[in-house]
Amino acid sequence: MEYNSSIPIYLQVMMSIKRDIVTERLKLGEKLPSVRDLALQYTINPNTANRVYKELENEKVCFTRRGMGTFVTEDEDRAMQMKAEMAQELIDEFLKGMKYIGISAEEAINLVKRQSKEETKKIS
Amino acid sequence: MLECKEVTKKYGRKTAVDHVSLNLEPGRVYAMLGPNGSGKTTLMKMVVGLVKPTSGEILYNGQPVGVESRRDIAYMSTEPYFYSWMTVKDVGKYYQDFFEDFSMERYERILNQMDLTMDLKSKTLSSGMMAKLKIAVTMARRAKIYLLDEPLNGIDLLARDEIVRCVLDVIAPDVTLMVSSHLVDELEKVADVAVFMKESHLVMACGIEQMREEKGKSVVDMYREIYGHGGIEQ
Amino acid sequence: MIKLMKYEFRKNLFSKIILLILTAVGEAAYLAGVFLKWEDGFGIGMIVLSLCSIFGIMYMGMEGLITFHRDLNTKQSYMLFLTPHSSYQILGAKVVENGLTIFLTGIFYALLGLLDFTVAVLYIGGVEQLLSIIKDIGAEFSINMNVRFEEILLVILALLAGWIMTLAMGYLAIVLCATVLAGKRLSGLISFVIFLVLNWCVNLAFNHLPILDVDSLLIRNWATIGCAFAVSLVLYLITGWIMERKLSV
């Protein structure tokens, strides 16, 4: 995984795991890798890996069962909520980026609608 | 824990390390950064006892470094140093003879992952293979402190991943790692603390994630700031 | 420390093998000379064997110093100084291994010489002659044996003591060179000069020792040997101390 240089690494790994849950690459209730394995997988320091799970647990994205490991939440609502949160972030980024190049939110929405029609035309 | 107190090393009029004070806590990985000649190597050599400080002291668990501390400290130098008559197997046996924490099994496993065989002669190894051998024999020890001087030097891309994995593998709450490398971005992911050395001085030591959170800067960014033009003047 | 000695031995193995091969060649020629009545072989064999023994023992002694110099002045020093051993142990292992090598080499050649001599006497001289020789020697020895034996022992010990002291000076010179004159270009030459100077100084001191004015040859010899060992010990301790405190490799 390539890391963005200005955001803390643990946040980026958290994002990656959330994405996996939202896209169902990680199923609800599935066992997550151990801290060490997570560290190896993402080539990060185990302390950072530890933090990732701690923060995810704080956000109720995962939970730890003593002696058994860390598991993805089984709460479907939480997963939906995560999807909504991610969507929100992406929208924020999009609108921010558009504003930066001088396109208003309204214009941006129209552009999106038009683009989406083009895509549907292509498919059909 | 390792404490460096105002450690200085002078060679005649040249100062290699100037009043460096640094505490290395267990469970942390320290990335030693700085250009060649900034003092990183000399500092490491003083920790392991190969070089004696001109002034200042280095304490391991409260005692000055010496014979006993070398039982727990594993050092990997940039230069090759094995006896020329040794084979890869001989090197392993040597370490086994002198270091209780050396595991021949781990050694074989790491060698395997790096495509090195036991019968190879130290004399005939290419620089890349020698680099791998040095790492293999050092990481096959279960030391309390690892001092790795440019462990990724001369290693091809795929083997680098292997080495990073080796390094991650030994990280534990009671283990301290001090790794120096020019490959700043590779080191950044794995280290906890970035220690910047410039012209024999310790310029800065700070937590890597902390730097990102508080200043939005990565280690690479800091590196450019400190050593690039318009950097911090000493 | 035995492990250190094991590797010291291994470091110098090559020259020992060469020496062994040369000795074997000489021995083969000598034996051929005896058994096949080949006179040239006999002569060549004796010369080769004598040279091997004399130069062999000398080289065995020197090699310890050569290896030490290499160990201190190349990166191979890391092999020794990264191990959890003090400089005293590292130096001690070298000194003991060196001493043992010299001693055993000496014994080896002495025994070989004795064996060759016996073989020659037996084969060339015939059994009756050997028996008469033994009777004569026995007669001589039973009278002079005790004195002879002790004299020989003293001579050997004196040689050994002197040799060891010389080696000790050699080690000190090498260490001084590697610490005081660290990394300078003519380190080998300077080491040698320091060594010669030390040698001269110590010998001068020896010649003025008061105990040498005693009449008894026995006491003088034992005193000299004792002093030589004492000096060697002091030199070893000094060398070890400098290594421990001042040596940066």
Side-chain angles (χ1 to χ4, degrees):
Chain A
M1 178 168 134
E2 286 298 317
Y3 293 97
N4 176 315
S5 65
S6 46
I7 310 170
I9 292 175
Y10 81 95
L11 280 177
Q12 297 177 58
V13 176
M14 280 172 72
M15 277 307 295
S16 170
I17 294 177
K18 283 186 190 168
R19 259 197 293 268
D20 283 346
I21 297 174
V22 164
T23 57
E24 289 189 35
R25 277 167 89 202
L26 279 172
K27 303 278 189 287
L28 294 175
E30 187 176 323
K31 185 172 188 303
L32 290 165
S34 69
V35 169
R36 283 203 94 78
D37 286 336
L38 188 73
L40 284 168
Q41 190 185 326
Y42 282 90
T43 335
I44 56 172
N45 187 293
N47 288 332
T48 313
N50 227 349
R51 182 143 185 215
V52 167
Y53 280 167
K54 204 179 81 175
E55 297 293 334
L56 283 176
E57 213 171 333
N58 281 345
E59 291 183 12
K60 305 245 193 304
V61 172
C62 68
F63 63 95
T64 314
R65 243 185 230 137
R66 266 276 189 84
M68 296 196 64
T70 311
F71 299 82
V72 177
T73 181
E74 285 161 353
D75 186 356
E76 254 192 70
D77 289 334
R78 182 72 188 89
M80 293 297 224
Q81 200 182 15
M82 247 193 284
K83 194 168 185 174
E85 281 167 10
M86 290 182 81
Q88 187 66 48
E89 271 185 53
L90 285 165
I91 294 172
D92 279 338
E93 294 261 342
F94 170 69
L95 288 175
K96 222 185 281 179
M98 282 302 193
K99 186 170 175 194
Y100 191 72
I101 58 170
I103 298 178
S104 72
E106 249 180 56
E107 265 183 79
I109 295 171
N110 288 336
L111 285 170
V112 171
K113 278 197 190 142
R114 219 184 302 158
Q115 184 75 23
S116 154
K117 264 188 218 149
E118 292 280 333
E119 293 289 322
T120 343
K121 257 192 229 159
K122 273 193 220 154
I123 294 171
S124 56
Chain B
M1 174 155 99
L2 198 75
E3 299 164 83
C4 297
K5 297 187 173 175
E6 298 285 314
V7 178
T8 303
K9 179 65 185 174
K10 294 201 174 130
Y11 290 102
R13 263 193 245 153
K14 200 183 82 149
T15 308
V17 174
D18 195 350
H19 292 92
V20 167
S21 294
L22 181 67
N23 284 353
L24 301 175
E25 317 261 338
R28 299 261 179 89
V29 178
Y30 293 83
M32 300 296 290
L33 303 161
N36 291 335
S38 51
K40 318 186 298 277
T41 299
T42 310
L43 184 63
M44 277 193 194
K45 287 192 186 177
M46 284 196 280
V47 170
V48 82
L50 289 177
V51 169
K52 310 288 192 298
T54 313
S55 68
E57 54 177 359
I58 302 181
L59 304 176
Y60 172 61
N61 290 342
Q63 297 296 321
V65 291
V67 179
E68 285 311 308
S69 57
R70 283 198 284 277
R71 276 188 223 284
D72 293 344
I73 302 182
Y75 170 66
M76 195 205 84
S77 70
T78 46
E79 317 102 321
Y81 56 93
F82 305 122
Y83 293 131
S84 45
W85 49 264
M86 286 184 152
T87 60
V88 170
K89 187 170 188 194
D90 290 330
V91 172
K93 284 231 191 104
Y94 187 87
Y95 268 68
Q96 190 176 47
D97 274 339
F98 290 106
F99 298 106
E100 276 174 22
D101 55 22
F102 180 82
S103 155
M104 189 55 96
E105 184 204 39
R106 260 176 78 83
Y107 184 55
E108 283 169 356
R109 199 173 358 121
I110 300 175
L111 286 175
N112 206 15
Q113 284 162 342
M114 300 210 191
D115 292 324
L116 286 174
T117 51
M118 285 296 202
D119 58 341
L120 291 170
K121 294 213 172 120
S122 157
K123 254 189 295 198
T124 61
L125 293 176
S126 68
S127 61
M129 290 160 103
M130 178 57 83
K132 289 183 192 174
L133 178 59
K134 278 192 288 156
I135 265 280
V137 84
T138 308
M139 303 313 279
R141 280 186 64 185
R142 277 258 174 253
K144 290 280 183 279
I145 299 187
Y146 291 88
L147 308 168
L148 307 176
D149 204 348
E150 311 274 351
L152 302 172
N153 252 16
I155 312 255
D156 60 86
L157 188 72
L158 293 174
R160 264 193 239 153
D161 287 340
E162 219 20 78
I163 292 178
V164 171
R165 243 181 284 275
C166 263
V167 170
L168 285 175
D169 211 22
V170 300
I171 296 179
D174 59 342
V175 172
T176 310
L177 268 110
M178 205 175 174
V179 183
S180 83
S181 180
H182 287 304
L183 296 165
V184 185
D185 41 3
E186 296 256 4
L187 205 48
E188 177 161 11
K189 297 179 289 183
V190 170
D192 293 289
V193 180
V195 179
F196 296 92
M197 291 216 37
K198 186 177 186 184
E199 285 160 16
S200 79
H201 299 278
L202 183 85
V203 171
M204 187 170 79
C206 51
I208 292 177
E209 290 284 70
Q210 202 182 347
M211 233 179 350
R212 285 176 177 228
E213 274 182 303
E214 290 174 12
K215 301 184 189 165
K217 291 199 184 129
S218 68
V219 175
V220 175
D221 296 329
M222 282 311 293
Y223 194 97
R224 281 194 224 279
E225 250 187 52
I226 294 174
Y227 303 105
H229 298 295
I232 297 174
E233 287 301 314
Q234 275 300 303
Chain C
M1 205 162 105
I2 302 220
K3 291 197 191 128
L4 284 173
M5 281 169 57
K6 177 175 95 172
Y7 283 99
E8 289 305 315
F9 178 79
R10 180 67 188 79
K11 276 185 223 176
N12 301 330
L13 195 58
F14 186 66
S15 57
K16 293 190 177 76
I17 292 177
I18 299 282
L19 187 66
L20 209 64
I21 293 175
L22 287 172
T23 308
V25 167
E27 182 69 14
Y30 177 81
L31 288 175
V34 170
F35 292 125
L36 304 173
K37 307 273 193 226
W38 174 33
E39 269 195 34
D40 280 345
F42 190 76
I44 293 174
M46 280 226 304
I47 293 175
V48 169
L49 285 172
S50 312
L51 288 176
C52 276
S53 58
I54 297 172
F55 286 109
I57 296 178
M58 275 174 58
Y59 186 72
M60 291 293 122
M62 293 253 294
E63 190 168 35
L65 293 174
I66 297 172
T67 307
F68 188 55
H69 186 259
R70 194 177 351 127
D71 274 339
L72 288 194
N73 290 296
T74 65
K75 293 304 169 197
Q76 294 193 351
S77 54
Y78 293 176
M79 288 299 268
L80 284 172
F81 294 101
L82 284 177
T83 62
H85 287 291
S86 70
S87 301
Y88 295 104
Q89 286 171 304
I90 294 172
L91 183 64
K94 283 180 177 287
V95 166
V96 173
E97 191 270 335
N98 206 358
L100 273 177
T101 303
I102 298 171
F103 184 65
L104 290 173
T105 311
I107 299 252
F108 171 71
Y109 281 110
L111 285 176
L112 192 66
L114 196 67
L115 201 77
D116 285 342
F117 177 71
T118 316
V119 164
V121 165
L122 269 176
Y123 203 73
I124 298 176
V127 184
E128 308 93 43
Q129 272 208 7
L130 176 67
L131 285 176
S132 69
I133 290 176
I134 291 179
K135 275 199 203 131
D136 291 331
I137 294 177
E140 280 257 348
F141 264 178
S142 53
I143 303 171
N144 299 327
M145 194 145 123
N146 293 333
V147 180
R148 283 274 184 86
F149 219 61
E150 215 166 50
E151 268 181 27
I152 296 175
L153 189 69
L154 267 178
V155 166
I156 293 178
L157 273 180
L159 277 174
L160 204 68
W163 191 224
I164 287 179
M165 195 169 69
T166 309
L167 279 181
M169 285 190 260
Y171 282 110
L172 179 59
I174 290 175
V175 166
L176 279 174
C177 174
T179 50
V180 172
L181 304 151
K184 303 265 170 71
R185 216 170 289 160
L186 294 167
S187 63
L189 187 64
I190 299 179
S191 280
F192 191 59
V193 169
I194 295 179
F195 167 74
L196 290 175
V197 170
L198 261 176
N199 227 320
W200 183 78
C201 288
V202 171
N203 279 321
L204 204 69
F206 254 69
N207 289 335
H208 293 300
L209 278 176
I211 202 155
L212 293 179
D213 290 332
V214 177
D215 269 335
S216 162
L217 179 80
L218 212 67
I219 295 183
R220 256 191 289 149
N221 266 330
W222 280 111
T224 314
I225 293 172
C227 283
F229 274 114
V231 169
S232 303
L233 185 66
V234 169
L235 288 173
Y236 161 76
L237 288 173
I238 294 177
T239 309
W241 187 89
I242 298 178
M243 272 172 80
E244 194 75 0
R245 291 304 163 99
K246 302 285 176 184
L247 185 64
S248 294
V249 292

